Amino acid sequence: MMFKVCKRREVGTFLPKYGVIFLILSVSVIIFALKNVDFQEFKVNSTVILQKVSSDPFLHHRFCTFQPLTTEDAQEQDLILDSIAWPETPALVSLERTSDPAHSYFTILPKKGGGQWHVGDQLEVMIKMYDFQGERKKSGGDFLIARLHNWSLGAGVAGHVVDHLNGCYSAVFTLLWERSAEVQVMLNVNVVLQLAVTLVHSSEAITVLQKLTSEQPDRIYFKSDFRSDAVSEHTTCNVCLRPTLQPVCNYTDLQTGDPWFCYKPEKLNCNTRITHSKGGFKQNLTAGEQKLFQGGVTMKVPLWPSGPSSVTVMPKRKEEKNSSVKIGNSGYYYQGAWRALGGTPVLQFNTSSAISNCLAGKTVHLYGDSTIRQWFEHLTAVLPDLKEYNLGSLKQVGPFMALDYANRILVTYRCHGPPIRFANVPTSKLRYIANELDRVTGGSNTIIVLGIWSHFSTFPIEVYIRRLQSIRRAVVRLLHRAPSTLVVIRTANLKALTLYETLTNSDWYSLQCDKVLRAVFKGLNVRLVDAWEMGLAHQLPHSLHPQPIIIKNMINVLLSYICPEKDELVFLS
């Protein structure tokens, strides 16, 4: 009866030859123009265009507009946008009419056919959402996460949440923990699994987050310093610059087409830019909207169960030993170790010698944000012979390089290009990942690791899609010239949320980036480290920079791709 309530409602250039006089006049005009107008050159569909910066107020870059896409890329972008479309969410009328985790609850549904739960069974949980007045919600769009765990076993798995668009949701799990002889022995006794369901954001909060991206994509802004001799100036920069009377310097990348703009300094020209930094954050919420992002009240709050919140699981039935997992999880934890469901088995590299033996003769290039920089820091910490070479780089920014000469291991890290929320990055150090990949020779001893998502959360998702399309083209070029190169991609992950973190890096923004990343690289010969599930399934609190044990498990996944038990070819699916 209760389950029926949850039933889903489907819803050619030329040179004129006019003689010496014309040539002299032309050169004079060009020289005059170069003295009075700053030019920035960028490439669109392999055509070189000169985009001038002028004092004419009507020649500024329009707010958050983009270069035209190829027909193929535009079609892909539309498909991706359709695939990640969130259910329609209501506007904020009053806090009392928003989703209230204290009134909402979840219920473990009885096993279909009755009887005891066994390893391999599918567990379904019904979730009902109510508002602060205790009234049933009649629409979907809440952001919920679910996890099944047993901490004494060091076990955990993420649930798959389904929105039925009527205030009712389902969370679905496959009961696991039988992957080895040792585990089978452990499961000869009953195992109690605890369920946790958390409201990350109400549907009304999602409406606000969507509005912020639409109306305030520049709420995080950036600064650049310009310097020439004794003259210094600084201006605001961004992907999206609001129209003003101030002319604009266009730093759109020549090769990738990735856009970046700064207001032109009053005295200096555009080519005197020397640094890039995060400038600050502009918050513009109403008092009512702020209430939607109160930790422990309206944001990241666990729901209470209606009835038991745990199930007792018996060992797998003998006749079902070969049954397969029904849900598309990438893996789960058992005894604190991440175990893959399908694809390359995850091996345990528990000693520095095991890691060194795997990486011997290898070059590992890490590109991305600070969540991938963690991997560089982890490897240099656990490998005593992997010595970091002092490049004089800033600690947060890089680039970094470490070398184990005896084992011929080289590990490098470089941050991605703008938007990047680091401080005082020399413009000479700003590199786009696609351009860096085009400089890599590649081969069987080369590993490329990409992790780029966190710094794109405040922008329209099209900015992120286009960046990934550019990177994918570079990956394809790399794999064409060096097919044996291993490319590994780290996904987004959940994090602790304050008001600031929510408005700039909400888990909902990260989820959209995670979905886009998987869609863009689907079907390509790359490997995935599922940081989203690895963070969600673990007992530790969510963090932008996951704690060391989770990073260790991520590195084990990476090393298992580099040194598998047997040669396998695994595609994103």
Side-chain angles (χ1 to χ4, degrees):
M1 190 72 176
M2 296 177 70
F3 182 65
K4 289 183 179 179
V5 177
C6 288
K7 188 174 181 181
R8 183 180 180 91
R9 299 208 312 265
E10 293 294 340
V11 248
T13 63
F14 64 94
L15 178 64
K17 300 178 180 179
Y18 292 110
V20 176
I21 296 176
F22 181 85
L23 180 62
I24 294 172
L25 289 173
S26 299
V27 171
S28 301
V29 170
I30 292 172
I31 293 173
F32 176 80
L34 288 173
K35 288 183 178 180
N36 290 275
V37 180
D38 291 322
F39 287 84
Q40 295 297 319
E41 186 182 71
F42 65 93
K43 188 178 292 185
V44 181
N45 295 332
S46 300
T47 302
V48 176
I49 301 173
L50 294 177
Q51 175 72 20
K52 67 180 179 179
V53 175
S54 169
S55 58
D56 186 339
F58 298 102
L59 290 177
H60 57 255
H61 175 72
R62 289 179 296 167
F63 189 51
C64 256
T65 56
F66 310 103
Q67 295 181 21
L69 289 172
T70 64
T71 300
E72 183 179 356
D73 283 350
Q75 290 174 345
E76 180 189 38
Q77 178 174 284
D78 290 342
L79 288 173
I80 292 174
L81 292 174
D82 287 342
S83 71
I84 68 170
W86 199 258
E88 185 176 352
T89 56
L92 173 63
V93 177
S94 68
L95 184 65
E96 288 72 24
R97 306 301 296 175
T98 65
S99 302
D100 177 19
H103 279 94
S104 306
Y105 62 85
F106 67 87
T107 304
I108 298 176
L109 297 178
K111 180 183 176 183
K112 293 180 181 179
Q116 296 176 314
W117 294 101
H118 291 262
V119 170
D121 287 341
Q122 187 163 290
L123 177 74
E124 187 167 0
V125 177
M126 180 187 66
I127 306 166
K128 288 189 175 181
M129 301 302 296
Y130 290 76
D131 63 25
F132 279 83
Q133 294 180 335
E135 298 290 331
R136 266 285 307 276
K137 295 293 291 291
K138 300 298 177 60
S139 60
D142 295 303
F143 179 19
L144 296 151
I145 55 176
R147 174 178 61 203
L148 197 62
H149 58 263
N150 181 302
W151 299 147
S152 64
L153 293 178
V157 66
H160 175 63
V161 177
V162 179
D163 187 347
H164 298 294
L165 308 178
N166 59 3
C168 192
Y169 303 76
S170 298
V172 188
F173 305 84
T174 295
L175 304 178
L176 301 165
W177 298 290
E178 187 175 44
R179 301 295 291 176
S180 68
E182 179 183 5
V183 178
Q184 288 174 0
V185 172
M186 295 284 293
L187 287 176
N188 281 332
V189 296
N190 299 351
V191 175
V192 178
L193 302 180
Q194 193 79 22
L195 183 69
V197 178
T198 300
L199 174 68
V200 181
H201 292 307
S202 68
S203 54
E204 293 80 8
I206 300 298
T207 300
V208 175
L209 293 176
Q210 291 174 323
K211 186 181 75 168
L212 284 174
T213 299
S214 175
E215 299 179 359
Q216 302 175 43
D218 58 342
R219 59 191 179 278
I220 281 187
Y221 60 95
F222 302 83
K223 296 285 188 182
S224 272
D225 292 325
F226 295 76
R227 184 178 302 153
S228 179
D229 297 326
V231 180
S232 296
E233 297 181 79
H234 66 268
T235 68
T236 299
C237 307
N238 221 321
V239 174
C240 307
L241 281 181
R242 293 182 181 270
T244 70
L245 296 178
Q246 192 171 355
V248 168
C249 294
N250 180 4
Y251 298 106
T252 300
D253 187 74
L254 293 170
Q255 282 73 42
T256 68
D258 290 308
W260 193 252
F261 305 92
C262 298
Y263 292 122
K264 184 183 179 299
E266 291 183 7
K267 300 176 182 178
L268 299 176
N269 58 37
C270 294
N271 60 16
T272 59
R273 176 171 170 250
I274 59 171
T275 66
H276 164 93
S277 295
K278 177 185 173 182
F281 169 66
K282 297 175 289 189
Q283 180 179 317
N284 187 16
L285 288 182
T286 67
E289 289 171 339
Q290 287 194 42
K291 292 179 180 179
L292 296 174
F293 306 106
Q294 300 177 81
V297 180
T298 55
M299 179 175 69
K300 276 218 170 172
V301 187
L303 272 59
W304 292 98
S306 174
S309 62
S310 62
V311 293
T312 301
V313 183
M314 305 294 290
K316 181 180 287 188
R317 300 178 187 89
K318 292 182 179 179
E319 66 272 17
E320 294 183 357
K321 287 293 182 182
N322 295 323
S323 63
S324 59
V325 174
K326 301 178 180 66
I327 304 173
N329 292 78
S330 63
Y332 64 98
Y333 286 104
Y334 185 78
Q335 295 181 333
W338 183 254
R339 303 178 181 224
L341 288 168
T344 303
V346 181
L347 308 178
Q348 300 304 304
F349 297 81
N350 293 324
T351 65
S352 60
S353 60
I355 299 174
S356 294
N357 289 338
C358 176
L359 293 179
K362 307 291 185 184
T363 296
V364 182
H365 295 301
L366 306 166
Y367 302 103
D369 54 38
S370 59
T371 64
I372 212 71
R373 189 185 66 221
Q374 272 191 291
W375 292 19
F376 180 90
E377 293 165 350
H378 178 88
L379 289 172
T380 54
V382 301
L383 296 178
D385 295 327
L386 185 64
K387 304 297 184 182
E388 185 174 351
Y389 184 80
N390 185 3
L391 298 176
S393 303
L394 296 175
K395 181 175 177 57
Q396 187 186 37
V397 176
F400 305 126
M401 181 176 70
L403 176 67
D404 178 345
Y405 183 79
N407 289 300
R408 297 174 294 112
I409 302 170
L410 175 65
V411 182
T412 70
Y413 165 78
R414 182 178 286 278
C415 69
H416 64 75
I420 188 88
R421 301 174 195 163
F422 293 167
N424 298 317
V425 185
T427 54
S428 61
K429 305 295 185 183
L430 289 174
R431 309 283 180 84
Y432 289 94
I433 291 176
N435 293 338
E436 291 300 295
L437 293 179
D438 284 338
R439 298 185 181 100
V440 175
T441 302
S444 59
N445 290 322
T446 301
I447 298 93
I448 303 295
V449 183
L450 309 176
I452 173 171
W453 56 276
S454 179
H455 297 247
F456 289 80
S457 54
T458 57
F459 300 103
I461 197 66
E462 291 88 347
V463 175
Y464 187 59
I465 293 173
R466 289 161 180 249
R467 180 63 59 89
L468 292 187
Q469 287 176 326
S470 171
I471 294 173
R472 183 186 59 193
R473 287 190 287 268
V475 169
V476 170
R477 291 191 293 268
L478 172 60
L479 294 177
H480 280 167
R481 67 178 178 268
S484 59
T485 306
L486 175 63
V487 180
V488 180
I489 301 178
R490 181 204 191 279
T491 74
N493 60 264
L494 296 142
K495 61 188 71 65
L497 294 181
T498 61
L499 177 61
Y500 169 79
E501 282 292 339
T502 301
L503 303 184
T504 61
N505 244 17
S506 164
D507 286 342
W508 184 78
Y509 292 137
S510 300
L511 178 61
Q512 306 311 300
C513 288
D514 186 73
K515 291 178 178 179
V516 167
L517 184 145
R518 295 170 194 262
V520 169
F521 287 97
K522 184 177 181 179
L524 197 62
N525 183 18
V526 299
R527 315 297 176 93
L528 185 72
V529 176
D530 198 334
W532 187 271
E533 282 197 23
M534 295 178 79
L536 176 53
H538 206 280
Q539 64 180 342
L540 288 172
H542 300 156
S543 175
L544 174 61
H545 301 107
Q547 296 190 35
I549 186 60
I550 299 179
I551 296 300
K552 178 183 184 298
N553 276 288
M554 292 180 183
I555 295 298
N556 280 339
V557 176
L558 171 65
L559 295 173
S560 298
Y561 288 143
I562 300 171
C563 306
E565 288 183 315
K566 58 181 179 180
D567 291 336
E568 296 172 329
L569 193 60
V570 181
F571 296 91
L572 244 67
S573 60

